[in-house]
Amino acid sequence: MPENSSLENLLTETRSFPPSPEFAAQANAQAGMYDEARADRLAFWAKQANELLTWKTPFTQTLDWSDAPVARWFADGTLNAAYNAVDRHVEAGRGDRVAIHFEGEPGDTRTVTYADLQREVSRAANAIAALGVESGDRVVIYLPMLVESVVAMLACARLGAPHSVVFGGFSADALRSRIADAEAKLVITADGGYRRGAPSALKPAVDEALEPRDGEAPTTVEHVLVVKRTGQDTAWTEGRDIWWDDALESADVRHEPVWVEAEHPLYILHTSGTTGKPKGILHTTGGYLTQAAFTHKNVFDLKAETDVYWCTADIGWVTGHSYVVYGPLINGATQLIYEGTPDTPHRGRWWELVEKYKVSILYTAPTAIRTCMKWGEDIPAKFDLSSLRVLGSVGEPINPEAWMWYRRVIGGDKAPIVDTWWQTETGAIMISPLPGVTATKPGSAQVPLPGIVADVVDDEAHSVPNGGGGYLVLSEPWPSMLRGIWGDLERYKDTYWSRFPGIYFAGDGAKKDDDGDIWLLGRVDDVMNVSGHRLSTTEIESALVSHEIVAEAAVVGAADETTGQAVVAFVILRGEHADRAATEDGSTEVQTALRNHVAKEIGPIAKPRRILVVPELPKTRSGKIMRRLLRDVAENRTVGDATTLADSSVMDLISAGLAGPAASSED
Ligand code: PRX
């Protein structure tokens, strides 16, 4: 099972932070919710769906599990996601409420009310429809963090056209394969965005992704809508490319939402799995929105009239879908969206924003917290953070030291921390303390939310006793669960439902402590977690071997203090390249070439931190690479038991070779 520093504290962690009476007295979440959901889980979710959403046609059936593992929730109800996120707030007289405070990296700002959002989303929906997009057609969104990004997603939802957002940091090749997988009709992008103080182009990647390629089917994309953000020079394909502003300018501000069935696809979002090809995770409308709204309201204790909420995730990830777009807007929240990096133009930028907008709920990732710890607590200390009253964490295990720092330095020793475990596949938070109810514990996500049934099991699917470790599973269907992998039902069944028949296998290792609280220990499969981003070892290996000088490659995630894990690659080079790499210059050349190649194939986030040139890879007799041994090397540990290797001298060869110049590492 992967190492994690929280493991060391597991048996000794005695710190516990019960909610203050003041917080508990005003909390949205109530202890009774657990019993209520346990008594009748389906009735509990039906109640949430009715209370939190506005339905065009009410549903009469809560869950249809007859086609398991494909669930149908609230299936005979109809609704529209954008109507729920925007219009109904305006209709209820809350049109003047700020939906989004936007802060660009250069410091430009924009305030968008719910009424503004309604006009803009309606305009965008009309403009997109005018380009021939109809309910069911897919739209790829490749944008930085802008107001337009939220508008684009909602405009698609308004039309019943599933969006497929591709993170702006992914390469042209990654974009190309996602466009092809979704068979998208339209791409929405921008000329560029601001990154670390300078404009960074985006549109060239779209142009490259849409170029015809020998042996590949012609693209299904008919148009590209381009938001003007940086004003930089942009290549243009007449007839295909259209400026967003031009398209919206002439569009009507009224648009009748397309009412869809609850199981109508809302979006596809690709995520890394254990094989080379990213999976298009499919989410539908009614159940997804119900759980996104329920968790956002109760896990963050949202008070829509008074809170200023800020989730630092990019819309390119699921956290941006559920907790920037759908959850907060369905709940009528006021939120902050920030375009840039935390250290531009200075390392206090985030805390300056918290002070400026009086942010009261902050949701971010452990890697960001650890980075801020490294920068020093004197930086946040310069700002007034007293508005913060709830702090969230997501994406990877948060080590107790970082948790304590977050609580003390950012939360002023009073704001409850919610460590939220979930996945792209689960659609919404599944395991987390409830603020005002749960006594929190540094490093543990603790308890499944009301209405969620999770467990830690051994190899035979038996529940482990308190104090035991095993695999995290979800034993009952939940409203926001994925409905499949786009275009590949078999892969869906195989990936999640075959390890333990009839129950969902999350791919995470977990432990139960003596109180029965759940501690997440990291992935047990070939998925890595770098700065809270999911990367597949196989995907990076495929990228490496697609380079002409590489014969074989093996990738592991090595423990890293700041990013959680770091990508370390072991490569066998072809013929003379191996000799060349054994020289100082040659080694640097090879490292640079391969790192750039991975950035081009997948994106800069997937670049290996270190590339080690080796003569052999450790393999079992059946040819399986023993990554465990490579991880020992990457983490500078004594190499573990190598007796099952086909050739047990391989590890000696690797260790001996690494003493030479080819062992030098980058950054
Ligand atoms: O390993 C778990 C880790 O992130 C994985 C899901 O990644 P992704 O689909 O990209 O979604 C990230 C944001 C929801 C999980 O399988 N993970 C996520 N949250 C936590 C976590 N590990 C430990 N503690 C968490 N709170």
Side-chain angles (χ1 to χ4, degrees), residues 271 317-319 363 393-398 419-425 431 445 506-508 520-523 529 532-534:
T271 189
W317 310 110
V318 75
T319 310
Y363 191 29
S393 173
V394 62
E396 51 176 319
I398 176 165
D419 174 9
T420 62
W421 178 89
W422 59 295
Q423 312 176 291
T424 307
E425 291 87 340
I431 304 178
D508 279 37
L520 278 310
L521 303 177
R523 303 286 305 195
N529 192 325
H533 297 149
R534 237 165 105 163

Side-chain angles (χ1 to χ4, degrees), residues 367-663:
T367 185
I369 299 162
R370 290 193 297 262
T371 302
C372 292
M373 275 173 84
K374 220 164 53 183
W375 290 344
E377 63 182 85
D378 52 317
I379 296 177
K382 288 189 201 125
F383 301 93
D384 178 5
L385 307 183
S386 60
S387 52
L388 287 170
R389 61 177 204 91
V390 179
L391 302 176
S393 173
V394 62
E396 51 176 319
I398 176 165
N399 45 310
E401 306 81 84
W403 194 101
M404 290 301 293
W405 188 90
Y406 196 24
R407 180 179 160 91
R408 180 175 59 80
V409 178
I410 306 303
D413 260 331
K414 65 172 194 344
I417 295 181
V418 286
D419 174 9
T420 62
W421 178 89
W422 59 295
Q423 312 176 291
T424 307
E425 291 87 340
T426 68
I429 298 169
M430 304 291 284
I431 304 178
S432 166
L434 282 176
V437 175
T438 317
T440 57
K441 209 182 252 186
S444 169
Q446 297 185 287
V447 272
L449 290 180
I452 300 301
V453 188
D455 200 0
V456 181
V457 300
D458 64 17
D459 276 316
E460 272 76 52
H462 297 129
S463 184
V464 303
N466 287 355
Y471 307 98
L472 182 74
V473 295
L474 302 165
S475 17
E476 294 291 346
W478 62 100
S480 64
M481 69 193 293
L482 74 166
R483 300 302 197 261
I485 294 175
W486 185 251
D488 200 344
L489 188 62
E490 280 317 302
R491 191 174 174 201
Y492 166 64
K493 292 180 178 167
D494 188 52
T495 309
Y496 306 102
W497 302 91
S498 67
R499 177 71 180 77
F500 303 109
I503 52 178
Y504 176 92
F505 172 48
D508 279 37
K511 280 214 166 204
K512 283 186 205 163
D513 68 13
D514 290 340
D515 302 324
D517 281 332
I518 296 177
W519 292 68
L520 278 310
L521 303 177
R523 303 286 305 195
V524 292
D525 53 14
D526 294 335
V527 172
M528 294 172 290
N529 192 325
V530 178
S531 297
H533 297 149
R534 237 165 105 163
L535 296 170
S536 140
T537 52
T538 334
E539 198 183 350
I540 301 177
E541 284 163 5
S542 309
L544 284 167
V545 295
S546 75
H547 194 286
E548 58 192 11
I549 68 168
V550 178
E552 258 193 274
V555 165
V556 297
D560 181 276
E561 247 185 34
T562 309
T563 57
Q565 284 186 310
V567 179
V568 177
F570 294 78
V571 294
I572 304 179
L573 298 182
R574 287 180 194 279
E576 76 278 13
H577 298 287
D579 303 333
R580 175 95 185 104
T583 65
E584 197 101 25
D585 286 355
S587 163
T588 313
E589 248 170 56
V590 164
Q591 301 243 1
T592 312
L594 295 185
R595 295 176 86 239
N596 290 343
H597 183 68
V598 173
K600 183 181 170 304
E601 291 284 309
I602 305 172
I605 50 166
K607 272 191 194 178
R609 168 80 52 87
R610 296 169 74 195
I611 297 180
L612 306 173
V613 177
V614 293
E616 285 294 341
L617 289 171
K619 289 186 185 156
T620 60
R621 279 176 205 96
S622 59
K624 203 171 169 322
I625 293 173
M626 289 192 72
R627 289 203 177 74
R628 171 173 63 79
L629 300 177
L630 293 176
R631 213 175 291 126
D632 288 342
V633 175
E635 293 175 351
N636 301 319
R637 264 195 311 271
T638 317
V639 173
D641 182 7
T643 48
T644 52
L645 287 183
D647 174 357
S648 58
S649 65
V650 165
M651 288 317 292
D652 297 336
L653 262 178
I654 291 177
S655 306
L658 293 183

Side-chain angles (χ1 to χ4, degrees), residues 292-311:
F294 169 77
T295 51
H296 182 258
K297 180 177 170 190
N298 290 289
V299 174
F300 301 114
D301 193 48
L302 179 87
K303 306 289 193 289
E305 305 76 30
T306 47
D307 276 314
V308 179
Y309 165 86
W310 183 20
C311 166

